[in-house]
Amino acid sequence: AMSQVARVVVFGSGFVGSAIAAKLAERAEVTVLDIPTHPALARRDDEAAALVAAAVEGAAAVVNTSGRLRGTDEEMVDANVAWPEWLAEQIESTGVRFVHLGSAAEYGDPGSADPVAVTAAVDPRGIYGESKWAGTQAVLEAREAGLDAVVVRGFNLVGPNLAPVSP
């Protein structure tokens, strides 16, 4: 019997999203959806909900790498808080695993060069860290309500095609 290939949906095609999609493509069927190529997603309307539902049907996981590094406070909250909260709501009844990309900026200044434990106190500084932390909280609240979800906080992400504005 032929084994079934896992399907994964990656939201976001920036530096992190494209690297994750490329790595996953070595062992899974990957669909990448991003707001620039699917403007309906930005509206988070019925068309967007249908797009998400069709994409995640039968998928093993959804990886959310969508977000903003810079922008107005409103743009940052929309991209880093409202978006993952809406996406979690869209997939909560599908049984698919939700992997959300948080940020080391959620910890703020650790106060030393020592490694930061995942259990370290969260103390974000500035709109980027604050909005990423609020997005993490939204995903963790969805997990408490039953969504199979995890948040991954990236540290020191480097590689080819790194944006000059990267933290």
Side-chain angles (χ1 to χ4, degrees):
M2 193 174 211
S3 63
Q4 187 173 354
V5 175
R7 273 198 342 98
V8 179
V9 180
V10 176
F11 285 90
S13 61
F15 175 68
V16 176
S18 59
I20 288 173
K23 194 66 179 168
L24 284 170
E26 295 173 7
R27 62 179 190 266
E29 178 187 321
V30 178
T31 300
V32 177
L33 294 176
D34 204 357
I35 291 170
T37 51
H38 298 86
L41 292 173
R43 295 189 300 271
R44 296 193 286 275
D45 58 10
D46 290 344
E47 182 184 350
L51 182 64
V52 170
V56 304
E57 186 176 350
V62 166
V63 180
N64 178 47
T65 71
S66 289
R68 289 184 75 114
L69 292 169
R70 289 177 172 62
T72 65
D73 289 2
E74 294 77 17
E75 288 169 333
M76 297 296 284
V77 169
D78 184 63
N80 296 338
V81 186
W83 166 259
E85 185 174 45
W86 179 84
L87 186 55
E89 289 170 4
Q90 300 311 302
I91 65 173
E92 66 187 353
S93 63
T94 65
V96 68
R97 178 132 218 225
F98 186 45
V99 179
H100 174 69
L101 186 71
S103 171
E106 295 173 37
Y107 293 112
D109 181 355
S112 80
D114 294 335
V116 178
V118 71
T119 55
V122 173
D123 186 23
R125 310 285 170 93
I127 189 60
Y128 176 72
E130 291 165 3
S131 65
K132 290 300 287 184
W133 170 233
T136 287
Q137 288 178 294
V139 172
L140 295 178
E141 287 169 14
R143 183 177 73 184
E144 288 175 17
L147 180 66
D148 179 6
V150 63
V151 175
V152 178
R153 288 191 181 128
F155 281 74
N156 303 328
L157 303 174
V158 296
N161 305 315
L162 180 65
V165 298
S166 175

